[in-house]
Amino acid sequence: MSGDRWVAWGRRPHTPGLALVGLLVVAMAVVGLQGRDSAEPRPVEVAVDRGGAAEGPLGPGAAAPASGLLPPTFTDPVDPEGPGDPAPADPGAPPAVTGARPTTAATSAVAPSATSPARAGDPGPTSATTPARVCRNATEPDCGDFRWDPAPMPNQPLVAAFTTAPATAVVGRPAPFEVSWSDADAALSYDRLTTGEPVLNIACTMVARFGPWTPPAPAPSSGNLRYTPTFPAPGTYAVTVSLDTADCTSPYGSGKLLNTTIVVTGAPG
């Protein structure tokens, strides 16, 4: 290349159109580089003014949270620039699942199984109905009228008699009376010798009974009694021995009166 040709090329005048085209090419390259998605997500900074508005994803003029904390973050990456080209798929990654996220056992409430064993401290099952009360040997009026159940054996009478009964006596001296008694189903519960009017009213205390009652078992008994009364003045006296077996609560109770007379002589001492 000759020196003349070099000089002539170097002095070639600039064309304004070519310069403008070059600037456009450079500008388009710069814009393309800025619009290209970055492989790494760009951090988003949010400035919060506790007394005013927030800038950033909330947008200008949006009210800041009342607590003054930053908005909640999510595990899904968010592109603040808007949707772009999808990232290339990794051949070794498992296929993506779209739709609602699955609920894990840690975040879901599991209803207890009907067949699960009871835990310690749990109350056991309760009955919905109260069992009916059984009226047996009861004292509550709602059990109805008193009755023996089962029916007792037929009551056997009390047998008693004087074995010793003097016809006469002396004033101030003991006069012996003896009585023998027996009962095939009850024991002796009361006895008394009186002179003059016999004692017929015998006190008996018992608890009111209602409904069915179980009768007691028969209790055969027998014995001998001895009395030694004295008489203060001469005269003829009626002597009575009152006997009872069992008591007023038993179906086998019996009573008997033994009567005799005695003539008392002599002067008072």
Side-chain angles (χ1 to χ4, degrees):
M1 179 180 297
S2 64
D4 293 338
R5 187 177 180 181
W6 172 259
V7 172
W9 195 3
R11 293 180 177 180
R12 193 175 183 177
H14 277 297
T15 303
L18 293 177
L20 180 59
V21 171
L23 291 176
L24 291 176
V25 170
V26 173
M28 291 177 64
V30 173
V31 172
L33 291 176
Q34 292 181 351
R36 184 178 179 180
D37 293 335
S38 176
E40 297 179 358
R42 288 172 293 175
V44 178
E45 297 181 358
V46 178
V48 177
D49 184 1
R50 296 180 183 271
E55 296 179 357
L58 297 180
S67 61
L69 301 179
L70 295 177
T73 59
F74 302 93
T75 57
D76 295 340
V78 179
D79 186 1
E81 296 286 340
D85 296 336
D90 186 0
V97 179
T98 60
R101 297 182 182 178
T103 303
T104 61
T107 59
S108 63
V110 180
S113 173
T115 58
S116 300
R119 296 175 297 177
D122 289 346
T126 56
S127 175
T129 58
T130 302
R133 180 168 58 86
V134 178
C135 287
R136 168 66 61 175
N137 301 336
T139 57
E140 293 79 9
D142 59 345
C143 287
D145 295 337
F146 165 79
R147 67 183 185 278
W148 293 115
D149 182 29
M153 299 293 293
N155 184 20
Q156 302 300 314
L158 168 65
V159 177
F162 283 108
T163 56
T164 299
T168 61
V170 177
V171 173
R173 295 181 181 179
F177 291 86
E178 295 182 352
V179 173
S180 176
W181 67 272
S182 66
D183 194 322
D185 51 17
L188 188 69
S189 58
Y190 175 85
D191 70 284
R192 184 178 180 182
L193 182 147
T194 58
T195 58
E197 295 295 328
V199 177
L200 300 179
N201 296 326
I202 301 173
C204 181
T205 303
M206 60 180 293
V207 177
R209 299 174 292 182
F210 299 91
W213 276 66
T214 304
S221 300
S222 61
N224 296 303
L225 303 172
R226 179 181 174 82
Y227 309 95
T228 56
T230 59
F231 299 91
T236 301
Y237 292 85
V239 177
T240 301
V241 175
S242 302
L243 303 173
D244 276 287
T245 56
D247 57 24
C248 53
T249 66
S250 172
Y252 306 120
S254 300
K256 193 172 184 64
L257 296 176
L258 301 178
N259 297 303
T260 189
T261 60
I262 188 172
V263 176
V264 178
T265 60

